[in-house]
Amino acid sequence: MLIIGLTGGIGSGKSIVSDKFKSLGINIVDADVAARTVVKPGQPALSEIENHFGPNILTKEGVLDRSRLREIIASDTEERIWLESTLHPKIGKEIANELAKSTSLYTIFVAPLLLETNSENMCSRVVVVDVPEEVQIQRTTKRDKVLEGQIEKIVAAQMPRKERLKKADDVLENTGTIKELQDQVEELHHKYLEMVKWRKRL
């Protein structure tokens, strides 16, 4: 199976890219969706998180308070490491199950921390959606209605832009219009279809 890893910093436009791939008939496996799945009410991971951070980490409805959790791990490296070590094995298992079920010609695996967690090792290629850091902060602040300082901490915790680009096989520049970004995705789509054909000849 040809697995294409899709990543980029927060606010880079990964959702627009994955939505376009999906519209072209390609299955999407999203690490964020897997992460939400494993912490749903009734799942063991949610109980572990509540036991560690206390009952205030849940909303009144008993759902994980993501904004509060994000605030904690953005300012406390030890807590972020604990959370990652707790969730990553469970998320990894969920992702593996979803990838195994994929039936499209190739599969897009979307993961904000693809490179930070060495998840690119399961991918044939890595696509990076790239924007300047100031654009990331501006877009995310507007989208999530949070303070710039909080987003700056998240950006700082992710892999530096230059290092991310060095690890990319393909780069999607998201500094223009949505249409321009979608056109780039279509070009990559045709490239990947050719790669699938070439693999079948081997």
Side-chain angles (χ1 to χ4, degrees), residues 10 30-41 43 45-46 49 53 55-75 83 87 91 112 144 146 150-151 154:
I10 187 170
D30 193 319
D32 282 347
V33 173
R36 287 194 290 271
T37 299
V38 301
V39 294
K40 284 183 177 179
Q43 294 295 319
L46 187 61
I49 291 170
F53 291 106
N56 287 338
I57 205 67
L58 303 182
T59 66
K60 291 178 181 178
E61 295 75 27
V63 177
L64 182 64
D65 188 335
R66 295 184 173 280
S67 60
R68 178 164 174 72
L69 183 63
R70 181 188 285 182
E71 188 178 331
I72 292 170
I73 64 173
S75 59
L83 185 69
L87 292 183
I91 295 169
D144 296 352
V146 293
Q150 189 175 335
I151 302 303
I154 294 169

Side-chain angles (χ1 to χ4, degrees), residues 163-182:
E163 192 176 340
R164 188 187 299 124
L165 288 171
K166 283 181 183 178
K167 292 176 176 287
D169 295 300
D170 301 296
V171 177
L172 293 168
E173 298 284 356
N174 188 15
T175 51
T177 65
I178 290 176
K179 175 67 165 56
E180 288 170 338
L181 180 60
Q182 291 172 332

Side-chain angles (χ1 to χ4, degrees), residues 132-193:
E133 286 187 3
E134 58 268 22
V135 177
Q136 286 181 261
I137 293 166
Q138 183 184 35
R139 285 179 180 170
T140 310
T141 303
K142 185 178 180 181
R143 181 192 68 192
D144 296 352
K145 296 179 174 58
V146 293
L147 297 175
E148 279 191 15
Q150 189 175 335
I151 302 303
E152 286 170 354
K153 287 179 182 178
I154 294 169
V155 170
Q158 293 182 329
M159 182 174 288
R161 182 185 178 194
K162 286 184 179 179
E163 192 176 340
R164 188 187 299 124
L165 288 171
K166 283 181 183 178
K167 292 176 176 287
D169 295 300
D170 301 296
V171 177
L172 293 168
E173 298 284 356
N174 188 15
T175 51
T177 65
I178 290 176
K179 175 67 165 56
E180 288 170 338
L181 180 60
Q182 291 172 332
D183 287 346
Q184 291 179 68
V185 173
E186 285 206 38
E187 288 180 22
L188 276 187
H189 174 63
H190 293 302
K191 176 179 178 178
Y192 297 150
L193 290 180

Side-chain angles (χ1 to χ4, degrees), residues 67-152:
S67 60
R68 178 164 174 72
L69 183 63
R70 181 188 285 182
E71 188 178 331
I72 292 170
I73 64 173
S75 59
D76 191 323
T77 302
E78 287 187 8
E79 294 290 31
R80 177 173 60 82
I81 291 171
W82 178 87
L83 185 69
E84 289 174 356
S85 65
T86 300
L87 292 183
H88 281 173
K90 297 176 177 65
I91 295 169
K93 187 175 180 181
E94 179 68 20
I95 288 167
N97 289 339
E98 291 299 315
L99 287 171
K101 290 191 291 185
S102 177
T103 56
S104 56
L105 289 172
Y106 65 90
T107 305
I108 294 290
F109 170 43
V110 187
L113 297 177
L114 182 82
L115 303 174
E116 289 87 341
T117 57
N118 296 319
S119 298
E120 77 269 23
N121 294 334
M122 71 171 74
C123 304
S124 304
R125 292 183 75 79
V126 171
V127 185
V128 168
V129 189
D130 182 54
V131 293
E133 286 187 3
E134 58 268 22
V135 177
Q136 286 181 261
I137 293 166
Q138 183 184 35
R139 285 179 180 170
T140 310
T141 303
K142 185 178 180 181
R143 181 192 68 192
D144 296 352
K145 296 179 174 58
V146 293
L147 297 175
E148 279 191 15
Q150 189 175 335
I151 302 303
E152 286 170 354

